Amino acid sequence: MSEQAVQEVALRVALERAIARQSDDYDRRARQYADRLTGTKLEKTQVRGLETLASTTDKVSDITDWLKLRVGRDAGRDRWAKEGIGRDLVTELEGLRRDAKEVVDKLRVGEGRVGEGRVGEGRVGEGRVGEGRVGEGRVGEGRVGEGRVGEGSAFTYPMDPDLERQVHLRLCREFLKHLAAHFEYLKAERER
Amino acid sequence: MSELEYLLKRKQSIAGWSDRQQAEAARFADGHRDLLPRRITNAQLYGLGNVVRSARRYTDIERFIRHQAEKAERAGRLDVQGYWNDLKDALGKLKGEAQALLKTLPLPVETDNREALDALHRELAGLYVQHLIAHSLYQTAGAKEN
């Protein structure tokens, strides 16, 4: 396996771990939104529809446009427009861009260079990145993905410039996945 | 680049463009908020959405917008005419965006460049209008809440 391929796998692993960590952080906030949503006339299918859209689209703007349209069409203000819930959710999802930037920035530490060497000149594991050592040895020998992102990760190959947007989309999906699950659970509890 | 690679790259480029352009379309809606929803109605916006979705050439979209502007002018609604003219300019400028995007996407052989450009221009216009309609309705609902 070439060094670049190893780096790509390492990036993917680090990214998945960072997204999973963020996702766990969102659980409580998503439950609060779900709790507010149970106070509206929204049915399970409508919230599930949002989750399905998020998991199938390749654009964050499709998700926020969908919500904006629902808020705009809710003339009775008893569904997505009730007490500003839809607006708050739009703001929340747009705000996840900051988390996405943070995740990618941490992965970017050392992008294009490892330690003081240039791409291809230095070996992963020889240079220090920030305060953490890169991996703990050579790629393949070290424990790729075990350290916290940013503390033990560095990627010597340029990252996809679209990565931040893609992470933002993933974070929106995670948030809405929690939201839909909590909503169904809380709705069922209320109806019991 | 294989056709599949091209299609995937095209899809990703357009998705990135659409996400970046959402703020610009929202600014357009915000800049014309005084016309919503009475002078420019939701029905007109939905009509625009339908035309953009079903257009087979970009000129179909342009023709619809020009027609709306002319109707407004005949009715003496110059502010509404201004809205449609501004929209025609905004969507027209997307041709440059389409050209720039196409440069980053080496077309598969035997692709008609002009047709590819027109198709991409239509697609970008569709996404811009999607953002515009969503934000316009959202904004109108907000104004009612206040």
Side-chain angles (χ1 to χ4, degrees):
Chain A
M1 202 184 230
S2 70
E3 192 178 333
Q4 182 168 3
V6 172
Q7 287 269 315
E8 281 170 5
V9 172
L11 170 64
R12 193 164 296 204
V13 170
L15 204 53
E16 289 304 319
R17 290 175 66 87
I19 289 170
R21 195 175 296 120
Q22 288 291 344
S23 179
D24 284 347
D25 286 349
Y26 294 157
D27 186 64
R28 195 176 50 81
R29 247 155 56 211
R31 190 191 157 96
Q32 288 167 352
Y33 276 100
D35 197 30
R36 288 174 66 190
L37 282 176
T38 54
T40 68
K41 282 189 178 175
L42 281 170
E43 297 294 331
K44 280 189 251 180
T45 49
Q46 290 165 294
V47 178
R48 219 180 284 153
L50 175 59
E51 186 199 6
T52 305
L53 168 77
S55 62
T56 52
T57 184
D58 57 353
K59 307 180 199 81
V60 176
S61 55
D62 277 352
I63 305 171
T64 48
D65 279 351
W66 188 95
L67 267 169
K68 284 178 174 182
L69 270 182
R70 265 62 188 181
V71 170
R73 285 173 182 165
D74 184 8
R77 305 208 187 299
D78 48 14
R79 290 182 168 81
W80 291 107
K82 187 173 180 184
E83 293 164 7
I85 175 81
R87 282 177 192 279
D88 292 345
L89 195 50
V90 169
T91 308
E92 181 78 43
L93 294 175
E94 285 176 345
L96 299 186
R97 184 179 292 120
R98 283 191 297 274
D99 293 344
K101 184 176 183 324
E102 204 173 304
V103 165
V104 174
D105 281 350
K106 282 180 179 171
L107 292 173
R108 271 202 180 118
V109 174
E111 182 193 12
R113 66 191 170 85
V114 173
E116 293 182 12
R118 285 170 169 276
V119 178
E121 288 179 8
R123 274 193 183 148
V124 176
E126 287 180 356
R128 285 178 73 85
V129 174
E131 292 178 17
R133 284 188 68 80
V134 182
E136 291 195 6
R138 289 186 189 170
V139 172
E141 291 174 5
R143 294 171 300 177
V144 176
E146 280 189 12
R148 285 179 68 85
V149 173
E151 288 177 6
S153 314
F155 299 94
T156 52
Y157 294 91
M159 286 189 211
D160 184 346
D162 193 41
L163 187 62
E164 192 175 308
R165 192 189 69 79
Q166 290 173 25
V167 172
H168 185 196
L169 178 62
R170 289 284 307 276
L171 296 182
C172 288
R173 286 175 181 166
E174 292 298 319
F175 193 95
L176 293 172
K177 192 175 74 184
H178 291 303
L179 175 68
H182 281 304
F183 179 76
E184 292 212 16
Y185 180 77
L186 293 171
K187 187 100 176 157
E189 286 278 293
R190 280 201 178 196
E191 286 166 0
R192 198 175 288 166
Chain B
M1 188 184 272
S2 72
E3 193 172 347
L4 184 61
E5 272 179 300
Y6 165 76
L7 289 172
L8 283 172
K9 193 162 190 300
R10 184 181 191 276
K11 197 167 180 292
Q12 190 185 349
S13 300
I14 291 172
W17 181 89
S18 179
D19 279 356
R20 287 192 301 276
Q21 203 67 23
Q22 190 185 31
E24 182 55 42
R27 266 194 293 278
F28 184 95
D30 287 339
H32 296 83
R33 76 174 74 186
D34 49 325
L35 299 175
L36 304 166
R38 294 192 191 283
R39 311 283 278 174
I40 299 289
T41 63
N42 289 354
Q44 281 175 297
L45 290 174
Y46 287 132
L48 168 69
N50 289 336
V51 168
V52 170
R53 265 191 300 278
S54 60
R56 298 170 71 91
R57 310 282 316 167
Y58 179 76
T59 50
D60 295 341
I61 300 170
E62 206 173 46
R63 193 177 308 120
F64 172 82
I65 295 176
R66 196 178 301 125
H67 180 63
Q68 295 296 316
E70 285 165 1
K71 272 202 316 188
E73 187 184 18
R74 283 197 298 273
R77 297 177 154 196
L78 298 184
D79 47 358
V80 176
Q81 183 195 10
Y83 177 92
W84 292 110
N85 283 336
D86 290 348
L87 184 62
K88 182 162 68 70
D89 292 345
L91 296 184
K93 278 183 195 156
L94 299 185
K95 187 173 184 180
E97 303 268 337
Q99 275 165 334
L101 268 184
L102 270 190
K103 275 187 192 158
T104 66
L105 300 167
L107 290 171
V109 283
E110 293 177 16
T111 306
D112 182 337
N113 276 356
R114 270 209 336 221
E115 176 54 41
L117 178 62
D118 194 71
L120 188 55
H121 189 187
R122 271 194 327 265
E123 202 167 338
L124 300 189
L127 291 165
Y128 187 96
V129 167
Q130 174 193 311
H131 301 322
L132 178 67
I133 294 173
H135 195 78
S136 299
L137 265 72
Y138 186 65
Q139 192 189 63
T140 304
K144 280 183 196 163
E145 281 166 26
N146 297 329

